Amino acid sequence: MKEHIVKIISIEQETQDVITFRVEKPAGYSFTPGQATDVSINNRATGNEKRPFSFTCLNTAPYLEFTIKIYPAHRGMTNELGKLQTGDELIIREAYGAIRYKGKGVFIAGGAGVTPFISILRDLHKKNEIKDNKLLFANKTKADIILQVEFEHLLGDALINILSEEVMEGYHHGIIDENFLTAIIDDFDQNFYLCGPPRMVSAVTTHLVKLGVNDSSIIVEMGSTIRGVKREYEGVGSPVH
C-alpha cells in the first residue's frame, strides 16, 4: 500500500482529550466521507506502528483532517500523537472503510466513535441533503461532547445527546438501550449507522434487530463481526468507555 509523508499544518484542542490535526493533502488523494486510513508518526520512536483514523474534513478540502481521542494512560500511539507540534510529520496510506452514506437514517455514536460521521454530516450539509437524518450521541459528560456547537448548527433538533455519568437540563441521561431507542425513534424502517465502543455497538445492534430493523440496514465499521446478532443480551446496556 502506497505511503505518503505529510506535515501537520495545525493542531486544535476540541475537548479535554480530543485533538484535531490538519495535515497536508497529497496530490490526487481522495476518500469517501466516512472512510479512514492507517496513520503512523514519522519518527524512530514509534517505528512502523500504525492506527486507523477517520477523515473528518470534506474530500474537497485542500488538507486532510483527523479528530483523535488521546489516551495518555495507555502510553501508546495516541499518547505520542498528543505530543506532536505543527510541522511534525505523519505517514498516511490509502483510504478504506465500510461506513459510508447509503441514504437517510439515524447515526448512533459513542464518544470518539462519532468521527466517521463528521465528514458524512458535513458533506450532507454542503449538499443540502442533511434533512431527515438524526444523530444520537452518547458521552459520559457534557465536556466530552465533540463538536457540539457544530453538530447543533448542522442538525438542530435532530441532535440528541445522552450522558451516562452526568445529569444536566436539556440532555438525556442514561444509555442507548431499547427504551431510549423506542422513545426517540418512531420509524425503524430506515438506515442505522453505528460507531463506538465494541460493547456499545453490539448491544445497540441487538436492540435494533429486536425492534425489527433489517440486518442490511445496520451499517457499522466492522459489520462482519457485529451484524447478524439475533439473540437477546440479558442485562447488557450501552455504556461509553
Side-chain angles (χ1 to χ4, degrees):
M1 183 177 291
K2 187 175 181 179
E3 296 184 342
H4 306 272
I5 297 176
V6 294
K7 285 187 178 181
I8 297 174
I9 300 169
S10 67
I11 299 174
E12 182 173 352
Q13 195 82 33
E14 303 291 357
T15 71
Q16 57 190 353
D17 55 7
V18 174
I19 298 174
T20 291
F21 297 88
R22 285 185 177 178
V23 305
E24 296 171 326
K25 186 175 186 179
Y29 196 94
S30 180
F31 65 90
T32 299
Q35 286 191 311
T37 189
D38 288 328
V39 177
S40 302
I41 300 172
N42 190 30
N43 63 29
R44 294 181 180 179
T46 56
N48 293 321
E49 183 178 3
K50 57 186 179 183
R51 292 288 183 273
F53 295 111
S54 301
F55 300 101
T56 53
C57 57
L58 295 173
N59 184 48
T60 54
Y63 52 79
L64 297 176
E65 180 183 277
F66 304 95
T67 300
I68 299 173
K69 185 168 183 177
I70 306 300
Y71 297 89
H74 293 185
R75 297 183 179 179
M77 183 173 168
T78 65
N79 183 46
E80 295 303 314
L81 284 167
K83 300 176 184 178
L84 297 181
Q85 300 178 358
T86 301
D88 288 337
E89 295 178 336
L90 301 179
I91 303 172
I92 64 171
R93 286 82 179 175
E94 298 308 306
Y96 67 90
I99 291 184
R100 61 186 65 197
Y101 189 65
K102 297 183 178 181
K104 80 175 186 69
V106 179
F107 293 82
I108 302 177
V114 78
T115 54
F117 303 153
I118 296 173
S119 62
I120 293 176
L121 294 172
R122 286 173 170 172
D123 185 59
L124 291 175
H125 181 263
K126 181 181 179 181
K127 296 175 179 177
N128 293 318
E129 297 175 3
I130 201 167
K131 185 180 178 182
D132 298 326
N133 289 282
K134 188 186 297 286
L135 171 62
L136 309 187
F137 196 6
N139 287 278
K140 291 181 179 179
T141 70
K142 181 179 182 294
D144 295 316
I145 301 175
I146 300 169
L147 300 180
Q148 180 176 359
V149 173
E150 180 175 359
F151 283 139
E152 289 173 348
H153 170 69
L154 295 178
L155 293 156
D157 292 340
L159 168 64
I160 309 297
N161 287 301
I162 180 168
L163 309 177
S164 62
E165 296 184 4
E166 188 173 46
V167 178
M168 292 195 68
E169 184 177 352
Y171 297 80
H172 295 270
H173 175 68
I175 58 175
I176 300 180
D177 56 14
E178 188 175 338
N179 290 333
F180 180 77
L181 290 168
T182 53
I184 297 297
I185 301 169
D186 55 13
D187 176 18
F188 288 92
D189 185 23
Q190 58 181 315
N191 292 309
F192 289 84
Y193 303 86
L194 274 63
C195 193
R199 186 183 174 196
M200 172 190 171
V201 174
S202 295
V204 173
T205 300
T206 300
H207 298 321
L208 291 174
V209 169
K210 185 177 178 181
L211 291 167
V213 178
N214 191 295
D215 198 55
S216 62
S217 297
I218 301 175
I219 299 105
V220 297
E221 181 56 49
M222 294 179 290
S224 61
T225 63
I226 293 174
R227 284 195 196 156
V229 180
K230 300 297 184 182
R231 63 184 178 87
E232 293 184 9
Y233 276 50
E234 296 183 357
V236 176
S238 309
V240 179
H241 296 297

